[in-house]
Amino acid sequence: MPEIVELNVGGVHYTTTLNTLLQDKSTLLHELFAGPEGRDTLAKDSKGRYFLDRDGVLFRYILDFLRDKALQLPEGFRERQRLQREAEHFKLTAMLDCIRGDRDARPPGCITIGYRGSFQFGKDGLADVKFRKLSRILVCGRVAQCREVFGDTLNESRDPDHGGPDRYTSRFFLKHCFIEQAFDNLHDHGYRMAGSCGSGTAGSAAEPKPGVDTEENRWNHYNEFVFIRD
């Protein structure tokens, strides 16, 4: 068996050493590459690379863990459950412990998301209709946890109190207006929705302020969503 091993994992090509693949004797990779009886069970692609029918993108984290004995994931990593399945398939017990330990170490907390929205209409309410119009997504909660969840997408410019990260704030908002992206961020960090509430549409016959579209003003509403992490 050559010291340098060429792999094709789900269509993604990797070059690594045999020593890396054999780092942990309890893993499936050790079973496959430690001797000819394991390697003979593997198919090869047209270039002679050993083929593994798994998630090729996530396999990079498998190799990184075998090399460094540590779990290093990028900020905002959103494939934790899929990576856990890959670690289970390759029988990487130590990596599974790191994934679960990282999840269990996160402190409990509560974050509230709010937004004021309307419906945007084209000319005469007929053309170029945009289903939803959000002006701003508000974020309320403990500062440290809001930063953990939203990272660089969090705008702190309206928060006048620059105290420690354990304080609470209701003045953060997001740099984007995609409510589903905010929900994904919360879900990826272990939060679940515990409740929500919303106002009815304005529906007022009162004359709107100058420059405000009458139809949009009629559909103004406010919603809040409470997320908790146990």
Side-chain angles (χ1 to χ4, degrees), residues 46-225:
S46 59
K47 300 293 185 180
R49 291 177 287 240
Y50 289 102
F51 180 75
L52 301 175
D53 190 16
R54 300 301 301 180
D55 191 312
V57 175
L58 293 180
F59 190 74
R60 61 177 294 190
Y61 302 110
I62 302 291
L63 287 180
D64 285 346
F65 188 84
L66 290 172
R67 293 175 184 130
D68 304 328
K69 302 295 189 296
L71 182 65
Q72 299 289 341
L73 300 177
E75 184 176 349
F77 183 73
R78 299 172 64 179
E79 301 281 354
R80 196 174 296 270
Q81 284 188 314
R82 293 177 63 90
L83 182 59
Q84 181 172 324
R85 286 200 297 270
E86 294 303 301
E88 289 170 349
H89 173 79
F90 288 110
K91 303 179 184 178
L92 279 159
T93 305
M95 187 175 185
L96 284 169
D97 290 342
C98 288
I99 294 173
R100 292 164 180 160
D102 183 52
R103 179 189 60 205
D104 295 340
R106 295 181 295 192
C110 172
I111 293 178
T112 299
I113 300 295
Y115 76 85
R116 187 176 300 280
S118 180
F119 296 102
Q120 187 172 21
F121 294 84
K123 187 176 180 181
D124 300 324
L126 298 175
D128 192 29
V129 175
K130 294 182 179 178
F131 180 74
R132 183 176 61 194
K133 180 181 179 181
L134 304 185
S135 57
R136 181 171 291 175
I137 299 176
L138 308 176
V139 179
C140 310
R142 189 187 294 268
V143 170
Q145 293 180 331
C146 293
R147 289 171 176 167
E148 172 202 350
V149 171
F150 298 108
D152 292 339
T153 65
L154 193 65
N155 192 323
E156 303 183 27
S157 63
R158 297 296 180 89
D159 186 18
D161 187 354
H162 299 291
D166 287 334
R167 65 185 175 86
Y168 290 83
T169 182
S170 59
R171 291 179 175 270
F172 286 166
F173 61 95
L174 299 182
K175 297 176 183 178
H176 61 79
C177 292
F178 303 107
I179 191 70
E180 289 79 12
Q181 181 178 338
F183 290 173
D184 282 345
N185 290 147
L186 286 157
H187 179 266
D188 291 341
H189 285 81
Y191 287 83
R192 60 181 176 83
M193 187 184 297
S196 64
C197 64
S199 69
T201 55
S204 174
E207 195 69 24
K209 295 178 181 180
V212 176
D213 184 271
T214 303
E215 197 65 22
E216 286 185 22
N217 183 68
R218 177 171 169 242
W219 292 97
N220 278 338
H221 60 280
Y222 180 77
N223 289 339
E224 278 194 346
F225 306 88

